[in-house]
Amino acid sequence: MYKLDQTQTPLFDALMEYVNNKTIPFHVPGHKKGMGMDNKFKNFVGNNVLSIDVTVFKLVDSLHHPEGPIKKAQELAADAYGADRAFFSINGTSGAIQAMILSVVSHGDKIIIPRNVHKSVTAGIILSGAVPIYIKPEVDRKVGLALGVTPETVEEALKNNPDAKAVLIINPTYYGVAADIKRIADIVHSYDIPLIVDEAHGAHLGFNNRLPMSAISAGADMSAQSTHKIIGSLTQSSLLQVMEKRVDVNKVQQVMNLLQTTSPSYILMASLDVARMQIATKGKELLDRAIDLAEYARREINKIPGLYCFGDEILKKKGVYALDPTKLTISCREMGITGNKLERILAEKYHIQLELSNLFNALAVGSFGDSKEGFDALISALKEISDEYKDLPKENRRMLDIPDIPKQIVAPREAFMGDKTPLPLRESIGCISGEFLMAYPPGIPVLCPGEVITPDIIDYVEDMKDAGLYVQGTEDPDVNYIRILNV
Ligand SMILES: Cc1ncc(COP(=O)(O)O)c(C=O)c1O
């Protein structure tokens, strides 16, 4: 169990002391507890939140050189998650991921990563100058989504690149699919290099045994977690967990200091402190309720004609070791409308806002902030939509096969920094891309900076556009032009 008293909230308490002392503020921010702020905003948000919007001083400690309540709050966070050290990130998991990468690889080092990484991973690679070695996640063709990577895929990549300096995996995916992370950690460690995990969607793992295993408990060396996405902290606040065996924790602090603002929000950090207390002391029961509610919704959605919401049956598939049941991926492929359309109808007609959508699916994110009433409203709206659309002519959509990963000629950093010229897509074949091309589904980039543009990629992008799907990544929002590297 925990080594520390997880009921403590040292940073929040320090802020309460500041407020209760009725401290006279001759420090930034200039709104001075809201006194200097326009009523339009102040009257809506209220005075309390403004009274803890403070800056670095001894009572409330410094994020860059923590010695007081922030140090204690980070120690409590490490203890709660079973890590050696934890860091507050006020630039979300994006910032924490960049810090993980910069902590373990330098210019020219190889890092093994899945092809379907979040753009913050690519940002970390561009900043560090590392060379990505891509591995392919498994793909579920029925729902058209990328799943996890298998231990065998990681092993093969390491065999072919024994000089790699680190492996990064996403666990779980946005859709709650978890890989066999324990076996992956063992394989990575047999090469004596760190496994770092994008655990943006897993800040609740480890607090309820009905959920997949957390990265740190599976043996990972670092994990970046969007506390704000899943549990009770404010948007932008995340945690970075570190194990010291293969990672230099002092370097991690230096990198975090390099990347983060010198004016971190104490509102965000205090919310992290309290969210950690909440998940550590009440997580099991809160998550039991969240899981029960999501399972109820999954059962009901699966009774609606034309809809499918995958559950444990997906565990049979390659690349899936465990599933986070709080994620509800509502597949409307059989109903014959796109996930994007389903999301739009729910938002515009029913004022129900989902997290995201793609060709075949729309994602509802569950958490312990949900209510039965909320889920009932969603279920009843989905029933109405099904009644309206299930017998209409189907929009016939097929899943398009993703082209092979093209050859990387130039490292992403050089490609990103280099001089570029825009060319019409077809004319760019054979050139080196200076940009990304990503298509949904399944959200896997088809082209990254520094890679050679192939005819297959252009055919694929044109097919995607013809099908009315999102293709993105280029400076040109219509993706008619792509900027190629001047060589
Ligand atoms: C897989 C994944 N990694 C990282 C991030 C970045 O997290 P944050 O929004 O906390 O910066 C996201 C955000 O959606 C994500 O989906």
Side-chain angles (χ1 to χ4, degrees):
M1 254 332 245
Y2 306 125
K3 296 191 194 87
L4 304 176
D5 173 5
Q6 289 290 338
T7 62
Q8 297 176 86
T9 50
L11 181 57
F12 184 72
D13 296 352
L15 289 162
M16 289 304 100
E17 189 179 335
Y18 169 84
V19 170
N20 293 333
N21 287 344
K22 300 197 169 45
T23 310
I24 301 167
F26 281 103
H27 60 73
V28 300
H31 65 70
K32 311 259 172 137
K33 301 182 180 178
M35 294 297 287
M37 181 176 275
D38 193 87
N39 282 338
K40 188 164 187 176
F41 185 74
K42 184 165 64 178
N43 289 348
F44 178 71
V45 298
N47 280 325
N48 282 350
V49 72
L50 300 177
S51 71
I52 59 165
D53 188 21
V54 298
T55 187
V56 183
F57 45 78
K58 190 160 188 306
L59 176 66
V60 296
D61 207 3
S62 153
L63 180 63
H64 286 226
H65 301 282
E67 293 177 330
I70 294 182
K71 181 167 185 276
K72 276 196 200 139
Q74 292 188 147
E75 284 167 1
L76 281 156
D79 181 49
Y81 282 87
D84 291 334
R85 289 285 294 273
F87 294 87
F88 284 180
S89 170
I90 36 77
N91 186 19
T93 297
S94 301
I97 286 176
Q98 289 163 18
M100 286 202 297
I101 295 173
L102 285 161
S103 300
V104 295
V105 286
S106 315
H107 196 269
D109 287 345
K110 287 183 182 171
I111 178 168
I112 294 172
I113 63 170
R115 185 66 174 177
N116 59 328
V117 285
H118 183 258
K119 64 185 188 186
S120 56
V121 174
T122 318
I125 285 172
I126 288 171
L127 290 172
S128 65
V131 177
I133 305 293
Y134 294 110
I135 48 180
K136 277 192 186 171
E138 301 300 317
V139 172
D140 182 333
R141 297 186 63 78
K142 181 174 174 195
V143 287
L145 292 175
L147 305 171
V149 292
T150 63
E152 292 73 24
T153 304
V154 174
E155 189 156 35
E156 175 81 14
L158 279 165
K159 253 188 216 148
N160 294 335
N161 298 277
D163 53 341
K165 291 288 191 305
V167 175
L168 178 145
I169 64 163
I170 309 160
N171 196 67
T173 66
Y174 225 130
Y175 305 92
V177 170
D180 189 352
I181 185 165
K182 206 168 192 327
R183 264 184 70 206
I184 293 176
D186 289 345
I187 293 166
V188 174
H189 291 158
S190 71
Y191 286 77
D192 201 21
I193 57 171
L195 172 68
I196 63 178
V197 181
D198 172 351
E199 206 175 31
H201 302 287
H204 56 325
L205 307 185
F207 296 98
N208 189 302
N209 58 17
R210 295 161 72 192
L211 294 171
M213 188 178 276
S214 76
I216 291 293
S217 65
D221 299 279
M222 280 200 264
S223 75
Q225 312 167 308
S226 293
T227 325
H228 70 92
K229 283 191 199 297
I230 316 287
I231 60 178
S233 74
L234 293 175
T235 296
Q236 254 181 263
S237 61
S238 288
L239 286 170
L240 172 57
Q241 308 290 349
V242 184
M243 298 303 277
E244 285 177 311
K245 189 168 174 196
R246 293 179 191 81
V247 178
D248 177 354
V249 80
N250 295 323
K251 184 163 181 193
V252 179
Q253 176 76 68
Q254 294 302 319
V255 173
M256 289 296 274
N257 290 355
L258 189 83
L259 295 176
Q260 303 215 79
T261 171
T262 52
S263 305
S265 162
Y266 282 78
I267 302 171
L268 297 187
M269 292 192 288
S271 82
L272 267 177
D273 194 22
V274 176
R276 181 273 314 150
M277 178 276 287
Q278 183 190 32
I279 194 81
T281 60
K282 304 170 207 160
K284 159 121 189 24
E285 65 205 73
L286 289 169
L287 287 164
D288 265 335
R289 198 180 145 270
I291 295 166
D292 289 344
L293 270 179
E295 291 292 27
Y296 155 72
R298 176 176 279 103
R299 279 193 304 275
E300 292 304 311
I301 293 168
N302 276 326
K303 290 180 197 160
I304 302 175
L307 295 181
Y308 167 58
C309 186
F310 62 74
D312 281 349
E313 71 281 6
I314 199 170
L315 299 179
K316 291 191 222 104
K317 302 208 164 163
K318 248 179 121 180
V320 190
Y321 183 74
L323 180 69
D324 172 0
T326 64
K327 297 289 189 304
L328 296 164
T329 305
I330 307 167
S331 174
C332 44
R333 190 174 187 174
E334 293 304 314
M335 197 188 281
I337 62 171
T338 63
N340 310 60
K341 185 161 179 178
L342 180 63
E343 181 185 358
R344 238 187 12 256
I345 299 171
L346 283 168
E348 288 166 10
K349 186 165 173 198
Y350 299 94
H351 304 298
I352 294 173
Q353 184 58 59
L354 300 185
E355 170 69 6
L356 55 78
S357 61
N358 53 42
L359 183 58
F360 302 137
N361 312 286
L363 175 69
V365 170
S367 84
F368 43 72
D370 290 319
S371 64
K372 168 106 178 6
E373 294 70 40
F375 273 125
D376 282 338
L378 172 64
I379 293 159
S380 131
L382 290 172
K383 281 181 185 157
E384 275 187 35
I385 297 169
S386 165
D387 285 345
E388 188 173 343
Y389 284 92
K390 68 178 193 300
D391 298 324
L392 293 185
K394 311 279 177 243
E395 296 172 28
N396 188 16
R397 302 278 182 216
R398 66 187 170 89
M399 179 159 165
L400 301 168
D401 285 316
I402 305 160
D404 286 340
I405 299 175
K407 219 171 163 176
Q408 191 174 294
I409 310 288
V410 174
R413 181 186 174 85
E414 276 71 57
F416 183 82
M417 301 288 182
D419 288 337
K420 302 177 195 77
T421 308
L423 274 189
L425 277 188
R426 278 260 152 227
E427 287 175 32
S428 72
I429 292 171
C431 300
I432 301 171
S433 175
E435 301 190 287
F436 287 97
L437 275 177
M438 280 168 289
Y440 287 87
I444 297 179
V446 285
L447 191 65
C448 290
E451 292 176 345
V452 90
I453 303 167
T454 64
D456 283 358
I457 289 174
I458 301 304
D459 291 346
Y460 177 80
V461 168
E462 286 178 351
D463 281 350
M464 293 299 272
K465 286 168 71 179
D466 285 349
L469 294 174
Y470 291 118
V471 184
Q472 48 184 259
T474 52
E475 201 174 81
D476 169 17
D478 300 326
V479 198
N480 293 323
Y481 286 81
I482 183 163
R483 291 186 309 144
I484 57 116
L485 214 57
N486 300 339
V487 282

